[in-house]
Amino acid sequence: MGREFVEIFDEWAHTYDESVGGQDPQYADVFAHYEAILEAVAARAVSPVVEFGTGTGNLLEKLQERELEAVGVEPNGAMKKAASEKYPEATIIDGDFIEYQLDTKPNTFVSSYAFHHLTDGEKAQAIKRYASELPAGGKVVFADTVFESEEAKQERIRYEESRGFKDLVEDLNREYYTTLPVMQDIFESVGFAVEFTQLNDYVWLMDATKK
């Protein structure tokens, strides 16, 4: 359920904001238009909102700026501490995409740069749970790295290898980056209508509405 990557984020908690700000050239393409990507997710959310993988709190900030009622869900202690220090008024609970306990019934689930920590089977399990908890018209709005096909993914890995971006290549091979057809099948199989919008060379916005 993505928890095998939790320890990695002990280090990322101290460097994540620098990376998303474009200071790490290996990840510049991954985080291109970062602020606009977060805005795109927040603009489609309807209160109450649950954010998975709160990290250092950047998307949570966008939700709060829109005066949306939002709860963050974060499994990594260092990340949760960083977000809480930046936004002490925010509610951030321990949990992950599948295992979480909420006090209120959400209208929207959101996330950015985190869903790839789940296998395709776990992604399906998570989306099935959201379908059971959302009302008709409820939304799942995720921004994450997704590829148009497995061939496109392998082509991108070869490209990054040619650039000498060893850390990025390691990430692409280690984590569970999936494809658009797989995500479409997952959403539609449990009653969502989903639209995909490409936001940079890596990231797609997945905007799903429960029928």
Side-chain angles (χ1 to χ4, degrees):
M1 286 165 282
R3 294 268 180 164
E4 65 266 37
F5 299 108
V6 166
E7 291 183 1
I8 294 173
F9 287 92
D10 289 339
E11 179 180 348
W12 270 86
H14 306 291
T15 61
Y16 187 76
D17 286 344
E18 293 179 1
S19 294
V20 302
Q23 297 182 41
D24 186 340
Q26 289 201 61
Y27 293 90
D29 289 346
V30 178
F31 292 114
H33 315 304
Y34 179 70
E35 292 294 325
I37 288 169
L38 300 189
E39 290 284 2
V41 175
R44 290 162 174 78
V46 179
S47 285
V49 183
V50 174
E51 183 204 356
F52 294 112
T54 299
T56 58
N58 297 326
L59 177 54
L60 191 60
E61 179 183 28
K62 301 295 185 186
L63 297 170
Q64 291 177 336
E65 287 174 354
R66 289 180 172 272
E67 299 183 348
L68 297 170
E69 178 187 345
V71 173
V73 179
E74 173 57 52
N76 179 271
M79 284 288 197
K80 188 162 64 172
K81 182 174 183 291
S84 296
E85 288 175 350
K86 286 166 67 176
Y87 311 110
E89 74 282 3
T91 300
I92 305 171
I93 64 173
D94 180 73
D96 57 49
F97 283 98
I98 297 175
E99 296 181 353
Y100 56 88
Q101 296 291 330
L102 303 175
D103 293 330
T104 59
K105 196 170 183 66
N107 281 320
T108 312
F109 291 107
V110 300
S111 183
S112 63
Y113 290 91
F115 204 45
H116 59 270
H117 295 131
L118 277 66
T119 66
D120 286 351
E122 290 167 343
K123 290 182 178 73
Q125 183 181 351
I127 298 300
K128 183 177 181 180
R129 177 171 179 180
Y130 309 155
S132 71
E133 295 179 351
L134 288 170
K139 297 175 69 66
V140 176
V141 186
F142 286 177
D144 198 19
T145 292
V146 185
F147 294 93
E148 293 183 87
S149 66
E150 184 61 30
E151 292 76 14
K153 175 182 175 180
Q154 295 306 318
E155 182 179 345
R156 191 72 194 191
I157 290 172
R158 289 191 294 271
Y159 170 69
E160 301 298 4
E161 285 177 335
S162 74
R163 301 171 82 189
F165 289 170
K166 295 180 180 179
D167 292 342
L168 177 55
V169 169
E170 181 181 348
D171 288 344
L172 291 171
N173 282 315
R174 176 184 58 206
E175 301 183 26
Y176 306 122
Y177 297 101
T178 193
T179 65
L180 294 176
V182 168
M183 288 309 309
Q184 183 167 359
D185 287 346
I186 287 173
F187 278 114
E188 292 181 348
S189 69
V190 289
F192 284 99
V194 61
E195 296 180 354
F196 300 98
T197 304
Q198 189 167 15
L199 301 180
N200 67 27
D201 287 345
Y202 278 89
V203 175
W204 289 75
L205 183 71
M206 297 172 273
D207 186 354
T209 304
K210 183 178 174 180
K211 298 177 182 178

